[in-house]
Amino acid sequence: MALDPSDLFDFDSELGTEQRTIRDVVARFVDEQVLPTIARDFDAQRFPRELIAGLADLGILGGSIEGYDCPGLDPLSYGLVCQQLERGDSALRSFVSVQSSLCMYPIDAFGSAEQKSRYLPAMARGELVGCFGLTESQGGSDPGAMRTRAERRGDEWVLTGEKTWITNAPIADVALVWASTADGVRGFLIDTDTPGFEAREIERKYSLRASTTGTIFLDDVVIPDSQRLPGTEVGLKAALACLTQARFGIAFGVLGAAEACFREALDYCGTRELFGRPLSATQGVQLRLAEMARKLATGQTLALQLARNKARGRLHPVQVSIAKWNNCRAAIDIAREARDLLGGAGITSEHAAIRRGGSQRQDLRVVGGAHRQGDAGIRREGRIETFVPVRERHRRRVLRLEAHVERLQVDAPHEQLVRDVGLHVGRTAKEIAAHTCA
């Protein structure tokens, strides 16, 4: 049996007929509509708005939402959609993630019947574009430090504040803004033509260049109480639930970027000849390509299990965060290796590697990420706690372990070395498990 280097563990065989059809339809759209022009859009720092209608025609906006002209996709199908879109460019997957997971999902989960009927069908048809305003400049990955305020005045709310690094903000028709109130954090739907609302493009980016990103300014924006999401009375928990949905799509999406880079490197090394033989004939290059394939296969297996857990209703936010963390880092490594293997050609935007080498870092940091706080967030009491302390302890323990191994006699029995290493690794694993379950 011949193996596909980009699918070493036969991920494709786990797909049903409908899932495979959805993947192939989106893949064809990417091949025909995205890849021919996306490098120019990246160079120009331009989001291809003309593709929104095509994305809507595919019937993918709204993800797993049932009704309201939404597709009602199963988790694996939605993950495959994200994977194929990001194979084209991270900008396309980011747009769909924000539209579907960060805007339409909370309207469906926390909105009133009137809000669902007004917004969801139009957003599914691509007639309305949404953005998700949570991040603030002083808070970053700590939404508990939110300064944006919403004050109740009779049957109206007055919002003041600023949100930054907001995907889709410059082109959005409606913004889902999270603000602190006297009763806690709440979500509000603001039509972007409301007086006092302004969105400015963030320019001179060197990552996610084909994605449109902006800063939102709220200067005494007055909206009726009917624009408040009634289900967000649970506070910040509602906003973080939206991020879990988005992270699920990212965990799949970055695999598409990784696959694009890997295939590009594989093809290049197979045809580029030096000293009378192709690069792929050298053992050093073979080892690097094999390492890329291993990381891609591991990420695919992890994403598949994540989708299965979600379909069974057994998905935990920590699982999503860890899968996103692992797969984003794998995609970064694969993009870097691909760029290096491509040599001089790897620094041109004609190739995926240079675009993805920056885009994956941005994806990891900005779209629902907690990169500076340790990547994998655990929600507890409305705040994001992370693995930073245990990771630091783990790093120190590894250093002690390396020093300990060096001190062992060269002729020490192999069994003793295994026992010593096993004791250290076992204690570290128990610490991580205890921290995760706390």
Side-chain angles (χ1 to χ4, degrees), residues 56 59-72 78 95-112 115-132 168 174-176 189 229 242 245:
I60 60 175
L61 299 181
S64 59
I65 297 175
E66 300 279 356
Y68 302 100
D69 295 338
C70 296
Y78 180 66
F95 171 82
V96 171
S97 285
V98 171
Q99 181 85 345
S100 302
S101 298
L102 295 182
C103 293
M104 298 178 71
Y105 164 77
I107 293 174
D108 182 59
F110 308 116
S112 65
Q115 291 167 346
K116 295 176 187 179
S117 298
R118 177 183 174 188
Y119 290 106
L120 291 181
M123 296 180 79
R125 295 191 296 266
E127 297 168 0
L128 292 180
V129 173
C131 67
F132 180 86
N168 294 353
V174 58
L176 172 50
L189 294 169
L229 288 176
C242 302
Q245 299 296 318

Side-chain angles (χ1 to χ4, degrees), residues 1 66 76 105 132 142 154 177-178 182 210 234 240 242 250 252 265-266 333 335 346 349 360 362 366 369-370 395 404:
M1 180 183 70
E66 300 279 356
L76 183 53
Y105 164 77
F132 180 86
D142 181 10
V177 173
W178 299 88
V234 294
L240 296 178
C242 302
I250 295 170
F252 271 89
L266 191 65
D333 292 343
S349 61
Q360 299 316 317
Q362 189 76 343
V366 177
R395 186 186 68 82
H404 178 65

Side-chain angles (χ1 to χ4, degrees), residues 321 325 329 370-377 385-389 391:
S321 292
W325 177 22
R329 290 195 175 277
H371 175 78
R372 285 171 298 219
Q373 296 188 8
D375 303 295
E385 298 190 4
T386 68
F387 291 146
V388 168
R391 286 176 63 198

Side-chain angles (χ1 to χ4, degrees), residues 286-308:
Q286 290 171 358
L287 180 61
R288 296 170 73 178
L289 291 171
E291 179 74 356
M292 294 163 73
R294 178 188 66 80
K295 291 181 178 180
L296 180 57
T298 301
Q300 289 169 335
T301 304
L302 190 59
L304 177 62
Q305 184 60 36
L306 199 67
R308 288 172 171 169

Side-chain angles (χ1 to χ4, degrees), residues 112 114-115 118 155 157 189 223-230:
S112 65
E114 179 185 355
Q115 291 167 346
R118 177 183 174 188
D155 292 332
W157 292 86
L189 294 169
I223 58 173
D225 185 55
S226 60
Q227 292 298 97
R228 175 180 55 86
L229 288 176

